[in-house]
Amino acid sequence: MSKKTKLGMVGGSLDAFIGEVHRKAAAMDGKFELVCGAFSSSPEKSKKTGEALSLDSSRVYGSYKEMIEKESQLPENERMEAVSIVTPNHVHFEPAKLALENGFHVIIDKPITFSLEEAKQLKKIVDSTGNILALTHTYTGYPMVKQARHMVATGQLGKIRKIYVEYPQGWLSTPLEDEGNKQASWRTDPEKSGAGGAIGDIGTHAANLAEYVSGLNITQISADVNIYVENRRLDDDSAALLKFENDASGVLMATQIAAGEENDLKLRVYGEKGGVKWIHSDPNSLHYKTLDGPYQTLRAGTGYLADSIAKFTRTPAGHPEGYLEAFANIYLEFHNAVSDFKNGNFSSIEDYDFPGADDGIRGMAFVDTMLESNKSETKWTPFKK
């Protein structure tokens, strides 16, 4: 039985949203022990967060640089082994770089970095150090998303022809960034979020999900990117026609001004023989249709799913699992990779089912290609590499 992975955290103070999500996900299967953290750029706020989490005060740090430096000096059996980075986008690259270069593995919230250039640099550091980097594209963690991917990969749908993915939200329909909303403020600030607003925040999720399930990379984009809320500095709405490998085509929509919508992510993939549909609001179901067979609804936790799906479900059929469990599945696979690395059994990230640095690069390239296509007068823009 593998030991717990000792985890440090950068960001995720008490008033942050995503930090607590990561902590819950890491704790769910008992595979991680949070041992230290630099939870805020404010040393006082970091200290208060550490106290609330009952951490040893000597291992609650005022900055990520201090944390990585001091943890590196601890005996191997005491120091953290991996770092969870849950900061706004502009504070992804430097702590990830420093952690990897000091021998620590990294799990990082998406998008991977502030820019495509940074993402490519980080991939080089991953390759040169040999350490592991996981990216929390959450929706790849859902068991029925993995089942859909399995069905595509094993040819049950035939050659893929059409892919539709949509991610409507409504929470930025008004200028929340002008009302002191912390989440809205940094996500709409180009100096903190990067070049993309909605396309970086949720468009990257939609593009990643389409590629993950279909097994096909996007090759060309024809995009329409908009800003609807007056004086907003980054996009809040987008749509695109897509071209994939193997002549498949698709449609992507990602918007944060669909008033009334929550996180209504949907994916449909159609091949020559049939199609599948997954809806985030009913994540335990996968809808399967064929040309000459009955409409089927496959359910999580059942014995008829692919054998590889079983380890990603924790409860019997009919007991709902959702967002936190999907997050936890990425942490679970990350732990397995780190544990194998520690025991000398790690060979390749391809042996584990979680997004990595290459997915992160494609996410940043998606943002840049969407923006370039939106400005272009030609119909199709080649996907950046």
Side-chain angles (χ1 to χ4, degrees), residues 38-57:
F39 299 104
S40 173
S41 57
S42 162
E44 184 63 27
K45 189 180 288 188
S46 183
K47 179 182 177 182
K48 288 182 178 178
T49 303
E51 289 174 352
L53 296 172
S54 300
L55 293 181
D56 181 340
S57 60

Side-chain angles (χ1 to χ4, degrees), residues 216-271:
L216 303 173
N217 287 334
I218 299 168
T219 59
Q220 296 183 77
I221 293 177
S222 179
D224 177 44
V225 181
N226 304 293
I227 300 175
Y228 277 102
V229 174
E230 189 175 357
N231 297 323
R232 181 164 283 163
R233 292 189 288 167
L234 289 176
D235 63 278
D236 51 23
D237 172 77
S238 65
L241 299 175
L242 307 174
K243 293 289 187 184
F244 291 83
E245 296 167 325
N246 292 351
D247 298 323
S249 64
V251 179
L252 180 148
M253 181 268 277
T255 182
Q256 293 177 314
I257 50 86
E261 294 289 358
E262 295 174 347
N263 283 275
D264 196 21
L265 177 61
K266 297 185 180 76
L267 173 73
R268 291 175 286 161
V269 180
Y270 298 101

